[in-house]
Amino acid sequence: MAEDTPSETTDRDPPAEAIHRLPTLKHAAVAPDGSRVACYYTGSGSNEIHVLDHASGETDRWTDGEAGDTNIWPLAWGPDGERVLFHRDDADGGEAYDVFAVDRDGEVERLTDTDGSTQLRGVGPDARLLVRSSHEGGMDAYVVDDGDWTRLTDREKPVYYPILSTDGDRVALPTGEGIEVLDAAGSVVAEFRVGGDEGTATPVGWAPDGNRLLVESDASGVNRPGVLDLETGETEWFGDGEHVEEAETFLPDGRRFVASRSRDALSVPVVYDTETGESREFDLPAGVARLGKWPSRVLDGDRVLVAHATPTRPAELLSYDLASDETTPIFERDLGPFEPGMLADVTYERVPSDGVPETPQAAVEPEPGEEFAVGTLFWDGGERPSPLVVFPHGGPDLASERTFQPYVQFLCRRGYSVLQVNYRGSTGRGRAFRRALHGDWGGAEQGDIAVAVEHTLDRYSFLDEDRVAVYGGSYGGYSAAWQMVQFPDLYDAGAVVVGMTDLEAMYRETMPQFRSGFLSTYLGTPEENAELYEQRSPVTHAENVDAPLLLVHGENDPRVPVSQARIMRDRLTALGNETGPDGTVEYHELADSGHWGATDGVPEPLAIVDEFLDRRLRR
């Protein structure tokens, strides 16, 4: 559609704001007959559902505002290919998600109506839905059949990855000890120990014949894909044993499957033959390329849909032919006003760290951790001398990758160099690295960030060590707050967006599934580890803040309640810090905003951070 196509004209020096005018494309899903692809696309200026006919190249927009502003959960097709199913939050960021369906005429139907948060996980051939939902407390798996709900699980910890069989009659889900298979009424029909006693196992997809499951497990120390035979209970494992590999999807022949292989903050799909054990990587330029676990990205027997991005090019959709290794763009992306070479590229490096930097630790002195080679991504903003923005990722079980990152490119266009750190606890490096954060939240992983900052300042002489800021959202916001109280000598400013500051209060006030499935995993409970909760809370050490600190929070955030920002603000004020543009503390609450709106680089919070950094680091 013409109105959804970015301008092909280029400016000699487009402003940083133009980065956020580049349309975003997310969550592509292939129709049951393989002829069309649905995705979220913002080319019209708002988040809308578009449907592409990849044979003709024609694109239709199916929504006009009905999709809502957030697009964190995937789209899916109805079984007849006539409707696209999507999620919408009607609570202004409060994550009251329900499932809706839209057809080509723009007619929208609500398929679930709950007081909780509901996420679609599968669609059966008879339109039966598999969801995970908190509408009865916790986060459990349900089958929704023509409006009737059947609760499949009732667990203290949230259920994360239930998957629906091809015939819609069975559900596989992880248990912590292995994998269960339930019938549509919730009765357990089979239990499997997968991967041994170490690690965790997750079901990913059903084979076309319904007799096997594509699974993954990190029991060997590195996540590997496998195929579980439901009749024998035996699992055959694949993978090179060196790199983390995530299972993604069976191909229609049931003999082959695709996984994604992580390597030094890159990702490449790999196709496996289960009969011969042979494998080969897709022939794609270095970047981040994935199919996705669900919904289907299979176009036909040998062609799959791949989302591929590089640090300097946004994600585009490619049809990848496994028989010829040829790619055909389905949805190409241009750079709007930007020319090739205008955007910052990234340098990846591994830095040895035991979690204890040379910089004095002002809050606590944790014991050194195991030494790891911590991954760093450095983006040169081009200014000389250059201020540095340290930008730790959220999660914490996520990772920064060598892909297109609008918020990083925005900062670079504004003249800042940017450092990202895949500290211990990040994904993509194996079980020991990921679990090193358990029981040590706010410990060695925060030391990893500081070690990386020291190394980067030493390596790049053009960086101005007197103009260093730390900025992050969610767990990255916690990291920013903790860096400011633990390593105040390193930083000249800090920006905390929807960040945790008081862990005990966070435990009491967050959503139940984040209390049981998140905080308890990393910290235990406050009753078990009261000292750790207090010791690793930034508010406990607020007196260490001696540089300008910005606090930004969405009023409706259910994950990290706005009280977390208020607690830190009030404590800093009680210590005598002045508030406002000329004071130590700057504070902003965002009305009609929740957790995601404030962390995805949307204009309002990013504009606030940009203005703050401009005043505090421009000298």
Side-chain angles (χ1 to χ4, degrees):
M1 299 173 61
E3 68 270 26
D4 294 337
T5 302
S7 169
E8 295 182 359
T9 62
T10 57
D11 299 329
R12 289 188 177 182
D13 189 24
E17 291 77 9
I19 293 289
H20 287 290
R21 290 196 289 270
L22 294 177
T24 60
L25 184 152
K26 294 183 70 175
H27 296 307
V30 177
D33 65 0
S35 66
R36 290 162 297 157
V37 176
C39 64
Y40 285 118
Y41 185 59
T42 62
S44 62
S46 59
N47 180 57
E48 305 292 352
I49 296 172
H50 289 68
V51 175
L52 305 83
D53 185 309
H54 60 82
S56 68
E58 295 181 357
T59 302
D60 291 324
R61 193 175 71 198
W62 282 22
T63 58
D64 187 13
E66 298 88 354
D69 295 329
T70 54
N71 53 19
I72 64 170
W73 300 123
L75 299 171
W77 285 86
D80 58 4
E82 296 299 319
R83 300 198 297 178
V84 175
L85 280 58
F86 65 98
H87 303 80
R88 189 172 73 207
D89 174 17
D90 287 333
D92 293 326
E95 299 192 44
Y97 289 105
D98 271 303
V99 182
F100 296 77
V102 62
D103 63 21
R104 67 175 65 247
D105 296 323
E107 294 295 323
V108 174
E109 179 185 0
R110 179 189 286 267
L111 302 183
T112 66
D113 189 359
T114 72
D115 294 329
S117 184
T118 298
Q119 178 191 352
L120 183 65
R121 291 293 306 170
V123 183
D126 57 356
R128 174 183 292 168
L129 307 181
L130 173 67
V131 302
R132 55 191 297 265
S133 178
S134 63
H135 80 289
E136 293 184 40
M139 181 59 78
D140 282 289
Y142 298 80
V143 165
V144 183
D145 198 346
D146 195 24
D148 294 328
W149 287 63
T150 300
R151 187 170 187 169
L152 304 182
T153 63
D154 185 5
R155 298 180 179 174
E156 179 182 355
K157 290 186 177 293
V159 173
Y160 285 107
Y161 304 109
I163 58 171
L164 189 65
S165 62
T166 306
D167 59 14
D169 289 336
R170 291 169 295 168
V171 173
L173 46 81
T175 64
E177 294 78 28
I179 292 173
E180 281 183 349
V181 177
L182 315 177
D183 63 22
S187 298
V188 177
V189 296
E191 297 179 87
F192 303 96
R193 298 285 294 183
V194 177
D197 295 331
E198 296 293 329
T200 58
T202 303
V204 174
W206 291 79
D209 61 11
N211 294 325
R212 291 167 297 148
L213 281 174
L214 184 61
V215 299
E216 61 187 30
S217 173
D218 62 0
S220 67
V222 175
N223 204 72
R224 301 176 64 188
V227 175
L228 168 64
D229 187 312
L230 297 177
E231 295 181 354
T232 67
E234 299 295 321
T235 304
E236 182 179 4
W237 295 103
F238 301 84
D240 65 7
E242 178 182 357
H243 300 99
V244 168
E245 297 188 25
E246 295 186 10
E248 295 201 332
T249 187
F250 269 113
L251 295 175
D253 58 18
R255 169 175 172 167
R256 297 171 296 167
F257 70 86
V258 178
S260 62
R261 177 177 291 165
S262 297
R263 182 170 52 239
D264 292 336
L266 298 171
S267 177
V268 60
V270 184
V271 60
Y272 284 95
D273 187 311
T274 61
E275 294 186 8
T276 66
E278 295 178 348
S279 67
R280 59 187 175 88
E281 294 185 354
F282 284 29
D283 185 13
L284 292 167
V288 172
R290 292 189 175 94
L291 275 70
K293 300 177 186 294
W294 183 85
S296 173
R297 293 281 184 91
V298 177
L299 296 167
D300 58 34
D302 274 320
R303 292 187 305 151
V304 294
L305 189 69
V306 178
H308 178 264
T310 70
T312 58
R313 180 165 291 279
E316 59 180 347
L317 295 180
L318 305 173
S319 169
Y320 192 94
D321 191 319
L322 291 162
S324 64
D325 285 325
E326 294 180 351
T327 58
T328 303
I330 287 182
F331 200 104
E332 292 186 88
R333 309 289 301 282
D334 66 30
L335 291 175
F338 297 97
E339 295 177 348
M342 281 185 175
L343 299 176
D345 209 340
V346 65
T347 299
Y348 179 82
E349 185 179 5
R350 288 193 179 187
V351 177
S353 173
D354 64 358
V356 180
E358 294 181 5
T359 302
Q361 302 175 100
V364 297
E365 295 188 18
E367 293 293 323
E370 180 180 350
E371 183 164 304
F372 289 108
V374 174
T376 65
L377 292 81
F378 177 73
W379 309 73
D380 181 358
E383 188 171 297
R384 298 294 184 269
S386 175
L388 177 67
V389 175
V390 181
F391 192 45
H393 65 74
D397 57 344
L398 298 173
S400 296
E401 295 182 304
R402 289 192 267 176
T403 188
F404 188 77
Q405 301 186 46
Y407 34 88
V408 171
Q409 294 292 349
F410 175 89
L411 292 169
C412 289
R413 294 294 294 175
R414 295 287 286 132
Y416 305 103
S417 293
V418 177
L419 173 67
Q420 297 176 294
V421 185
N422 287 332
Y423 47 80
R424 67 193 69 204
S426 305
T427 54
R429 291 282 302 280
R431 188 180 73 237
F433 190 82
R434 179 174 54 83
R435 289 191 178 180
L437 183 54
H438 291 203
D440 191 37
W441 173 308
E445 99 281 3
Q446 296 298 320
D448 290 340
I449 296 171
V451 168
V453 174
E454 293 175 336
H455 171 85
T456 303
L457 291 172
D458 287 341
R459 175 171 178 180
Y460 298 100
S461 60
F462 58 80
L463 294 175
D464 186 345
E465 63 181 16
D466 294 322
R467 291 190 294 159
V468 179
V470 59
Y471 156 46
S474 194
Y475 195 86
Y478 168 81
S479 294
W482 187 257
Q483 292 288 306
M484 292 289 284
V485 301
Q486 176 75 324
F487 308 110
D489 292 351
L490 271 182
Y491 301 104
D492 303 281
V496 177
V497 182
V498 294
M500 295 163 280
T501 65
D502 184 324
L503 298 177
E504 193 276 333
M506 169 74 180
Y507 186 90
R508 284 187 283 105
E509 298 172 7
T510 189
M511 302 165 79
Q513 63 266 34
F514 291 99
R515 184 182 308 126
S516 62
F518 177 58
L519 290 170
S520 294
T521 297
Y522 287 100
L523 288 160
T525 67
E527 292 75 20
E528 296 167 337
N529 295 310
E531 183 178 356
L532 186 63
Y533 267 78
E534 180 180 12
Q535 183 190 72
R536 304 297 170 88
S537 293
V539 71
T540 303
H541 313 282
E543 67 276 5
N544 294 346
V545 174
D546 64 358
L549 179 66
L550 171 69
L551 299 167
V552 182
H553 219 106
E555 289 182 357
N556 298 330
D557 189 342
R559 298 183 178 226
V560 182
V562 68
S563 57
Q564 290 290 297
R566 296 171 181 170
I567 288 169
M568 191 68 172
R569 175 201 59 191
D570 294 346
R571 177 59 181 154
L572 288 167
T573 302
L575 289 168
N577 293 283
E578 294 185 7
T579 60
D582 298 323
T584 303
V585 184
E586 298 188 37
Y587 186 83
H588 295 266
E589 284 187 16
L590 306 180
D592 302 327
S593 182
H595 193 72
W596 299 109
T599 57
D600 279 356
V602 298
E604 186 176 7
L606 188 60
I608 294 170
V609 172
D610 176 46
E611 195 272 340
F612 168 80
L613 293 175
D614 188 61
R615 282 187 291 102
R616 300 300 190 167
L617 295 188
R618 300 293 182 188
R619 297 174 183 171

